[in-house]
Structures are given as C-alpha cells and as structure tokens.
Amino acid sequence: MSDIPAKPQAAALAQAASAPGRGGVIQLVFKEKGALYAAYISLFSDGGLFVPSTREYRLGEDVFLLVSLPDDVARYPVAGKVAWITPPNAAGGRTQGVGVRFPNDEKTRQVKLKIEEILGTSISSSKPTQTL
C-alpha cells in the first residue's frame, strides 16, 4: 500500500504528560495510517502499540496511554503494560521505545477493533514495523 512507509519512521508523536521517571500519561497521536501500522502490535492477543521513548522501562511496568487515531477526534485511554523493549542503538535502525500490551477488557477491545478497522488488510502486510 502506498500510504505505508517502506521503512517506518517514528511511529507517532509521543509526549509524557508528567515529569520523567514518574510514569504519567503518554499521549500518542497518529495522524496517518502508515504511522499507526508501524506502531500497532498485532502479535499481542489483545493488541498493543509501540511507544517511541528514551525513558527506561521494565517489562510488566504499567503505562497509561491516551491514543488519538487518524481522522478521529476522540482520544482513547488505555492502561497497558510494557511487554516489549527496543533498546538504544537496536539492530536495523529501529527506534528506541516500548511495546505496550493492551489489557483484556471490553473498553480496550473496542480500541483494538477500531485500530484494526482503520488498518484493514494492511495489518497482514510484510512491510516492517517498529517491533517485528
């Protein structure tokens, strides 16, 4: 698909809404489908998103996201957990950050379905993403 980048850049604009090291809310703003494709982690059974970040996280750490999707004015809250870590200077020039696994609840399931609806058939593309 032409709207999916061959080599993903930073997946989304990510901003911590609190001081570093204190957790807080991370706002992820996806303005285009290609960025959402690069960040979405379909291998997690409940879905997940890659969050570009230089902050150190630990596996299992709680992360609260506020997600904005392309062409959608709503912001979706997601209380997930770190399930993937891409360290600095990772192979393949991958962006440093974390994969946040969505929780298994109905509200977040609706967010996952909305993301998958936006991505459509591109979800099974062989184009690289920020994680795999």
Side-chain angles (χ1 to χ4, degrees), residues 6 11 13 17 36 38 40 44 48-49 54 73 75 77 83 89 91 98 111 121-122:
L13 302 173
L36 181 60
Y40 184 62
F44 294 160
L49 288 169
T54 56
V73 296
R75 295 191 307 173
N89 306 312
V98 294
V111 175
T121 58
S122 67

Side-chain angles (χ1 to χ4, degrees), residues 1 4 33 37 115-126:
M1 296 206 134
I4 297 175
K33 183 177 167 180
Y37 169 81
I115 290 171
E116 291 178 351
E117 178 184 322
I118 290 167
L119 293 178
T121 58
S122 67
I123 201 165
S124 59
S125 171
S126 61

Side-chain angles (χ1 to χ4, degrees), residues 1-128:
M1 296 206 134
S2 61
D3 56 348
I4 297 175
K7 181 174 182 189
Q9 303 301 317
L13 302 173
Q15 270 184 334
S18 67
R22 300 188 120 191
V25 178
I26 299 171
Q27 295 185 46
L28 284 176
V29 179
F30 296 98
K31 294 188 178 196
E32 51 191 52
K33 183 177 167 180
L36 181 60
Y37 169 81
Y40 184 62
I41 306 172
S42 61
L43 292 177
F44 294 160
S45 60
D46 296 312
L49 288 169
F50 178 79
V51 178
S53 176
T54 56
R55 179 177 175 258
E56 286 191 30
Y57 287 90
R58 282 177 273 165
L59 289 175
E61 186 172 340
D62 292 324
V63 179
F64 189 78
L65 305 176
L66 200 52
V67 180
S68 297
L69 300 173
D71 302 320
D72 188 343
V73 296
R75 295 191 307 173
Y76 300 95
V78 176
K81 290 192 179 289
V82 173
W84 175 282
I85 297 174
T86 303
N89 306 312
R94 297 205 185 275
T95 303
Q96 180 180 355
V98 294
V100 176
R101 181 177 42 86
F102 291 170
N104 183 8
D105 64 41
E106 186 55 33
K107 195 171 185 181
T108 309
R109 185 174 146 327
Q110 293 304 317
V111 175
K112 175 186 188 255
L113 292 174
K114 182 137 184 81
I115 290 171
E116 291 178 351
E117 178 184 322
I118 290 167
L119 293 178
T121 58
S122 67
I123 201 165
S124 59
S125 171
S126 61
K127 299 263 187 203

